Amino acid sequence: QVQLVESGGGLVQAGASVRLSCAASGRSFSTVAMGWFRQAPGKEREFVATVRWSSDFIYYADSVKGRFTVSKDDAKNTVYLQMNSLKPEDTAVYSCAARSGPASTNPRLYNYWGQGTQVTVSS
């Protein structure tokens, strides 16, 4: 079992920055991939970024590439999503997820999910 707890969402103005955290616990993470997803009202869940815990492999959605950065702190078992130059269209509930296996953009392949955190970007 893996438990994921997110934090760091909030209401910000366009152009601002926010950092989300996803603290993981429950097992060894050497074979785990983490993903960040978001879901806006009335829309399907959308891939944001994914990282393989044991490597430097990180992949971003085109919509966030160059603005969002994923990093991880192995000592804290925590993955971060640094979001810069935020736009109103980034408004969504952001969730982190974990799976055993390769990094993936498909949310259906992730077994464990955090509770989600709201990010609202005003224009």
Side-chain angles (χ1 to χ4, degrees):
Q1 283 289 75
V2 175
Q3 292 79 44
L4 304 173
V5 179
E6 297 129 348
S7 60
L11 171 63
V12 298
Q13 290 188 331
S17 297
V18 169
R19 189 178 79 160
L20 305 183
S21 301
C22 175
S25 62
R27 56 160 287 176
S28 169
F29 297 99
S30 61
T31 60
V32 166
M34 303 294 294
W36 284 100
F37 297 86
R38 66 186 182 185
Q39 188 166 21
K43 295 187 177 181
E44 292 189 355
R45 182 171 281 163
E46 178 188 16
F47 165 75
V48 174
T50 183
V51 56
R52 176 77 173 174
W53 197 282
S54 60
S55 75
D56 293 329
F57 174 80
I58 303 175
Y59 182 73
Y60 299 95
D62 288 343
S63 58
V64 307
K65 199 173 295 182
R67 299 188 298 123
F68 290 12
T69 303
V70 172
S71 62
K72 51 187 175 73
D73 185 329
D74 293 336
K76 295 182 179 180
N77 282 347
T78 299
V79 175
Y80 303 97
L81 180 66
Q82 177 68 42
M83 306 187 293
N84 299 329
S85 302
L86 282 163
K87 306 174 182 179
E89 51 264 42
D90 294 319
T91 296
V93 174
Y94 285 73
S95 300
C96 65
R99 68 182 297 262
S100 294
S104 174
T105 64
N106 186 347
R108 294 183 177 85
L109 297 181
Y110 287 80
N111 308 103
Y112 307 99
W113 289 84
Q115 80 281 8
T117 184
Q118 177 72 44
V119 175
T120 302
V121 184
S122 63
S123 58

